[in-house]
């Protein structure tokens, strides 16, 4: 039986702080985007890349860093990720051009990948029994809080100090987390470690980059242009090559496709992708609407997200404990359904709406987020033996970040298309900012009406994504697919003390 590790609560604290910090940087930037655009003279597509470069870095390297963690030690990779993330935060804060900031955000994502890929496995190895459910619940609450409270933190820092502060605040936190990790977090190494799958890394990250680029630039370049068609074809070829490479790699694959023979693993992956591609991806467009269209300050905009934060905080620990007795398929299905209903309620906005029109949807979606996140944590490592925990958690986290990246890019492309159909003579990148003052030759009330109607349609599309995810995750997540963790003691444990 796996004994309780004396440093388990230190481990949970370090992992939660790091997870909060890296996920905060997915949403904290949203409220600061108007100020970043003003200072660095960025276009709308560049603003999308400020968010997507980070998510793309996370998604591209999560699988690789999960493999590295199994081979060289989960704590070691976790600490290296913290150091890289902290250094990248400094680079983001001193950025003087959009390109510099986008590249720094990509580097930040690389550090975040190392942290995120090891988070679940560190918790799973440090905790057992009832404590594990509680730990996953706390970690799930941390995720929900980080994603939801990001706009508030970003708003306060941007309005009271400057947009650079949203990055510099990571530095002292990162240094403290490194110190705690080195002193108090136990090292776990897997005797079943594999070599790094470079062909898989290149084909996956390359294909994902081409896909995101095509989605972000499709409206501006033209969907039938040689560039966009070429990138889309290239994305399909590279992602198909990735599947072929992983099938041939066998036990050395960084993305073990055989895991999907257990439907529950596929169900958890779909839930992770669906939550990110629907609700989390919509945060960017909700923030632009509240701040630019409704005219709230960055701090006021951030405060409007508090209802979602509070509800997800309350629900997540409860869901973590309930998951010991209630099948995870129920939590997936119900949670994603609540997210979908919440998005549908938000679609009621029109030209005369205030932010309170979003409030009922925020509450329901917050409950859904709090319900799904800890369930994802349980499922990611619950359907595989402990020696595969690093890869399993990396794959699950990859689906989260791919959902963010493709959701923002895909919804953004649809959104710009909807706006262009309503106001055809203005560039879509100008229309998508949500700022009536930037749209020349169109009466403000007419623009606000078009923007609200388009955003309403976007909420419906995001809700459909959530509902489809609810059905599939419920249908696929079978309780008999979950395995015990009796083999956990075989992992090499090195005390940090």
């Amino acid at each position: 039986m796996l004994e309780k590790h004396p440093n388990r609560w230190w481990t949970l604290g370090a992992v939660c702080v790091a997870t909060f910090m890296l996920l905060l940087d997915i949403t904290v930037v949203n409220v600061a985007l108007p100020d970043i655009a003003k200072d660095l003279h960025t276009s709308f597509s560049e603003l999308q890349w400020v968010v997507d470069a980070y998510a793309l870095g996370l998604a591209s390297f999560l699988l690789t860093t999960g493999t590295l963690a199994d081979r060289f030690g989960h704590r070691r990779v976790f600490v290296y990720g913290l150091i890289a993330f902290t250094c990248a935060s400094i680079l983001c804060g001193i950025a003087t051009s959009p390109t510099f900031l986008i590249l720094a955000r990509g580097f930040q994502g690389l550090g975040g990948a190392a942290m995120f890929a090891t988070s679940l496995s560190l918790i799973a190895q440090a905790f057992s029994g009832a404590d594990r459910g509680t730990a996953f619940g706390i970690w799930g609450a941390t995720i929900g809080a980080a994603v939801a409270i990001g706009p508030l933190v970003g708003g306060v820092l941007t309005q009271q100090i400057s947009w650079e502060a949203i990055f510099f605040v990571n530095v002292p936190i990162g240094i403290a987390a490194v110190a705690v990790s080195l002193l108090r977090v136990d090292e776990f190494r897997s005797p079943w470690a594999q070599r790094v799958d470079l062909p898989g890394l290149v084909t996956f990250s390359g294909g994902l980059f081409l896909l995101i680029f095509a989605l972000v630039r499709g409206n501006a370049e033209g969907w039938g242009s040689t560039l966009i068609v070429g990138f889309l074809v290239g994305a399909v070829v590279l992602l198909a090559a990735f599947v072929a490479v992983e099938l041939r790699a066998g036990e050395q694959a960084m993305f073990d496709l055989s895991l999907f023979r257990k439907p529950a693993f596929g169900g958890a992956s779909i839930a992770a992708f669906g939550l990110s591609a629907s609700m989390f991806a919509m945060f960017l467009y909700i923030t632009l609407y509240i701040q630019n269209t409704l005219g709230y300050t960055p701090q006021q905009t951030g405060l409007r997200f508090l209802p979602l934060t509070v509800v997800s905080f309350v629900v997540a620990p409860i869901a973590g404990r309930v998951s010991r007795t209630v099948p995870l398929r129920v939590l997936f299905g119900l949670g994603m359904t609540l997210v979908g209903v919440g998005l549908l309620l938000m679609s009621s906005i029109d030209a005369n709406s205030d932010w309170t029109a979003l409030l009922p949807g925020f509450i329901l979606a917050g409950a859904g987020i709090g319900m799904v996140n800890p369930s994802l944590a349980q499922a990611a490592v619950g359907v595989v033996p402990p020696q595969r925990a690093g890869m399993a958690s990396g794959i699950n986290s990859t689906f989260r970040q791919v959902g963010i990246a493709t959701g923002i890019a895909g919804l953004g492309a649809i959104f710009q298309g909807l706006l262009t159909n309503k106001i055809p003579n203005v560039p879509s990148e100008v229309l998508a900012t949500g700022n009536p003052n930037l749209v020349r030759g169109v009466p403000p009330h007419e623009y606000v009406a078009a923007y609200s109607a388009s955003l309403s349609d976007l909420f419906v599309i995001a809700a459909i994504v959530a509902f489809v995810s609810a059905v599939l995750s419920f249908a696929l997540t079978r309780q008999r697919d979950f395995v015990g963790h009796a083999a956990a003691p075989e992992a090499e444990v090195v005390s940090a003390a």
Side-chain angles (χ1 to χ4, degrees):
M1 179 179 291
L2 181 64
E3 299 294 331
K4 290 185 177 180
H5 296 289
N7 290 321
R8 64 190 185 281
W9 295 110
W10 283 103
T11 299
L12 179 62
V15 167
C16 284
V17 167
T19 300
F20 183 86
M21 185 170 61
L22 73 91
L23 287 177
L24 194 69
D25 268 45
I26 294 177
T27 56
V28 73
V29 175
N30 289 341
V31 176
L33 288 177
D35 285 56
I36 293 174
K38 181 179 179 180
D39 284 358
L40 302 184
H41 307 290
T42 62
S43 65
F44 179 73
S45 61
E46 287 171 332
L47 290 182
Q48 286 180 292
W49 272 114
V50 170
V51 180
D52 262 359
Y54 182 72
L56 188 60
L58 273 167
S60 297
F61 290 95
L62 271 168
L63 298 176
T64 298
T65 51
T67 302
L68 290 172
D70 284 340
R71 184 171 186 176
F72 297 109
H74 292 198
R75 184 187 67 170
R76 176 179 294 181
V77 172
F78 179 74
V79 169
Y80 285 160
L82 274 169
I83 294 172
F85 185 90
T86 304
C87 293
S89 296
I90 297 174
L91 294 176
C92 289
I94 64 174
T96 56
S97 70
T99 301
F100 190 118
L101 179 58
I102 290 168
L103 291 175
R105 288 281 286 170
F107 181 36
Q108 212 180 18
L110 171 59
M115 294 153 61
F116 210 178
T118 53
S119 294
L120 280 178
S121 54
L122 282 172
I123 295 175
Q125 293 283 7
F127 289 85
S128 61
D131 283 347
R132 179 178 286 164
T134 301
F136 280 143
I138 294 172
W139 186 76
T142 301
I143 292 177
V147 175
I149 206 172
L152 174 59
V153 174
V156 171
L157 292 176
T158 300
Q159 187 169 327
Q160 300 300 326
I161 306 176
S162 68
W163 66 264
E164 291 90 346
I166 66 176
F167 299 112
F168 288 138
V169 73
N170 293 330
V171 178
I173 300 174
I175 293 173
V178 168
V180 170
S181 299
L182 291 175
L183 294 173
R184 294 291 184 178
V185 175
D186 296 334
E187 178 66 283
F188 301 103
R189 300 190 184 97
S190 171
W192 305 277
Q194 302 169 341
R195 63 176 174 79
V196 176
D197 181 8
L198 288 178
L201 171 63
V202 171
T203 52
F204 179 76
S205 58
L208 189 58
F209 171 79
L210 292 181
L211 175 62
I212 300 302
F213 184 93
L215 291 174
V216 170
R217 294 297 301 168
N219 284 297
E221 301 290 340
W223 291 101
S225 67
T226 302
L227 177 67
I228 299 303
V229 172
F231 272 41
L232 288 173
V233 171
V236 172
V237 170
L238 284 176
L239 292 176
F242 169 72
V243 173
V245 165
E246 298 308 285
L247 287 174
R248 294 190 61 182
E251 294 183 356
Q252 299 301 318
M254 71 174 187
F255 194 119
D256 187 356
L257 295 173
S258 67
L259 293 176
F260 290 93
R261 293 173 184 169
K262 289 191 173 182
F265 191 81
S269 300
I270 289 171
F273 177 89
L275 182 60
S276 294
S278 57
M279 191 65 236
F280 292 165
M282 283 299 298
F283 279 4
L284 169 60
Y285 305 104
I286 295 172
T287 302
L288 291 177
Y289 170 70
I290 296 175
Q291 188 170 341
N292 287 350
T293 306
L294 299 183
Y296 287 96
T297 66
Q299 187 169 317
Q300 291 170 335
T301 300
L303 285 169
R304 268 61 188 175
F305 281 87
L306 273 180
L308 193 151
T309 305
V310 173
V311 173
S312 63
F313 247 107
V314 171
V315 172
I318 298 173
R321 284 196 170 276
V322 168
S323 64
R324 301 204 308 267
T325 55
V326 175
L328 291 182
R329 65 188 300 181
V330 174
L331 296 176
F332 283 155
L334 180 57
M336 289 306 303
T337 298
L338 288 175
V339 170
V341 174
L343 288 165
L344 280 183
L345 290 176
M346 294 183 215
S347 70
S348 64
I349 62 170
D350 56 35
N352 299 315
S353 296
D354 197 1
W355 80 275
T356 51
L358 302 172
L359 187 56
F362 274 179
I363 294 173
L364 281 183
I369 291 170
M371 196 173 294
V372 172
N373 272 327
S375 305
L376 290 175
Q378 293 273 35
V381 297
V383 299
V384 298
Q387 62 266 29
R388 308 299 287 163
M391 175 181 290
S393 62
I395 291 175
N396 184 263
S397 298
T398 296
F399 273 94
R400 290 175 183 263
Q401 302 313 316
V402 171
I404 287 280
T406 56
I408 287 176
L411 290 173
I414 294 171
F415 189 42
Q416 291 181 69
L418 291 170
L419 280 168
T420 302
N421 288 336
K422 293 178 174 64
I423 307 177
N425 297 321
V426 179
S428 61
E429 289 212 347
V430 175
L431 292 172
T433 62
N435 190 341
N437 297 324
L438 298 179
V439 183
R440 307 299 181 188
V442 179
H445 68 276
E446 181 180 330
Y447 171 70
V448 171
Y451 192 89
S452 301
S454 299
L455 186 59
S456 176
D457 292 341
L458 202 66
F459 278 125
V460 174
I461 294 170
I464 292 173
V465 173
F467 287 135
V468 171
S469 300
V471 172
L472 292 178
S473 59
F474 178 83
L476 292 173
T477 307
R478 308 177 307 182
Q479 204 65 24
R480 64 178 179 271
D481 289 337
F482 291 84
V483 299
H485 291 270
E490 298 177 29
E492 181 182 353
V493 179
V494 183
S495 176

